[in-house]
Amino acid sequence: MKIRGRHIYLISHTLLILMWTYAALAKILDFDLNIQQMHNQIFPIWMADLLSYAIPIVELLIVILLLMNKTLWLGFAGSGFLLTIFTIYIILTVSHFFSRIPCSCGGIISSLSWTQHLIFNSFFLILSLFCLSHQLKLERRLLGKVP
């Protein structure tokens, strides 16, 4: 990887770690608000309760995967997967697929409109896919499968 590409990769990697850490901690540190916001989504209550616990755990798991060299590709893939799910949910919300507009996320993100949230998620989704692509190329080179 060239110097410029490496710098973009390192900055992107760091931004993903910071974003997922913030997302998880915002939910954990104000867990009552997290549950309240999940209950205001379009999901059944049992699913909202499950997601209130599962999402911050998965977000922290992604952070852990992104911090260890041997699991970087899995962290980038998990990041991309979760952001894809969140982005599809936002697209459905913005396109009025649901009968009502659910509340937004917590923390700093709560001040964003749904369209701004879509842009935010799309940006981090692109970073995830960029990092995943570079990590897989690097691992193939290390294994001697790509010149």
Side-chain angles (χ1 to χ4, degrees), residues 40 58 60 129 136 141:
N40 197 31
V58 170
L60 286 177
L129 297 176
L136 291 175
R141 282 189 194 118

Side-chain angles (χ1 to χ4, degrees), residues 8 23 30 39 46 66 78 83 94 101 103 114 119 135 138 144:
I8 294 170
D30 199 348
H39 284 181
W46 67 267
L66 290 174
L83 282 164
V94 169
I101 302 288
C103 72
W114 281 106
I119 293 166
Q135 186 62 33
L138 177 64

Side-chain angles (χ1 to χ4, degrees), residues 48-68:
D49 288 337
L50 176 66
L51 291 173
S52 296
Y53 289 92
I55 290 174
I57 290 170
V58 170
E59 290 170 341
L60 286 177
L61 179 60
I62 289 171
V63 171
I64 291 167
L65 293 171
L66 290 174
L67 289 172
M68 298 186 300

Side-chain angles (χ1 to χ4, degrees), residues 12-76:
S12 299
H13 182 193
T14 302
L15 287 173
L16 287 167
I17 291 170
L18 293 173
M19 186 272 297
W20 286 120
T21 301
Y22 171 78
L25 290 179
K27 291 174 185 77
I28 292 166
L29 294 176
D30 199 348
F31 195 70
D32 290 337
L33 179 63
N34 178 40
I35 291 174
Q36 178 185 1
Q37 288 175 334
M38 277 297 173
H39 284 181
N40 197 31
Q41 300 299 321
I42 53 97
F43 312 119
I45 290 176
W46 67 267
M47 186 182 290
D49 288 337
L50 176 66
L51 291 173
S52 296
Y53 289 92
I55 290 174
I57 290 170
V58 170
E59 290 170 341
L60 286 177
L61 179 60
I62 289 171
V63 171
I64 291 167
L65 293 171
L66 290 174
L67 289 172
M68 298 186 300
N69 284 332
K70 290 188 178 196
T71 59
L72 278 175
W73 74 270
L74 191 55
F76 294 132

